[in-house]
Amino acid sequence: MQLNKIKNLNDLRYRKLLLRTEIRFKEDEIKNQLAGLRTDLESSNLRGEITQAIISNPMMVINVARVVFNLVQRWRERKRKKQLRKKNRD
C-alpha cells in the first residue's frame, strides 16, 4: 500500500514501518549478492587462469611486460626528478 499523504500519527508509524521493511529487504538482497560474489572470487583459480591465458596467448605476456616496463621506467624517472627538486631546494 502506497501512502501519498501522511494524515495522522498512525499513518506516520505505518509509513515508518513500511520503509524499514523495504530497507531490510534491500539490505538482505545486497548481502546475498555480496556473498555470491565472494564465493565466486574464492572459488576462482586466478593463478591457473592466468597460466592458461599465457599458454594460449604468449603475445599477452610480451604486452604486459612492456606495460610494466614502461610503468617502472616512469616511476623511476619521477623519483629521480623529485630527488633533484628536493636537492636543489636545499
Side-chain angles (χ1 to χ4, degrees):
M1 181 177 161
Q2 183 73 15
L3 293 176
N4 293 336
K5 293 185 179 180
I6 297 171
K7 297 178 184 175
N8 56 32
L9 188 60
N10 286 333
D11 289 346
L12 180 64
R13 287 180 182 151
Y14 177 77
R15 182 72 174 168
K16 183 179 172 183
L17 180 64
L18 179 69
L19 290 173
R20 280 186 180 171
T21 305
E22 289 176 3
I23 291 170
R24 185 164 295 145
F25 282 138
K26 292 289 183 184
E27 287 174 347
D28 289 342
E29 184 179 330
I30 291 170
K31 285 178 187 176
N32 289 338
Q33 289 174 350
L34 285 175
L37 286 174
R38 188 173 293 128
T39 56
D40 287 346
L41 284 176
E42 289 173 356
S43 65
S44 67
N45 184 2
L46 292 178
R47 186 177 294 163
E49 290 177 14
I50 292 171
T51 307
Q52 288 291 30
I54 290 170
I55 291 170
S56 66
N57 190 2
M59 204 55 201
M60 186 171 72
V61 175
I62 296 168
N63 291 337
V64 170
R66 184 68 188 161
V67 169
V68 171
F69 177 76
N70 287 338
L71 287 173
V72 170
Q73 205 172 21
R74 289 178 189 165
W75 178 72
R76 285 182 179 172
E77 184 64 28
R78 178 187 268 174
K79 186 178 176 184
R80 236 182 273 132
K81 285 182 181 180
K82 188 176 180 181
Q83 287 175 349
L84 283 174
R85 277 187 266 140
K86 189 176 181 182
K87 188 176 181 181
N88 289 337
R89 286 183 191 165
D90 295 336

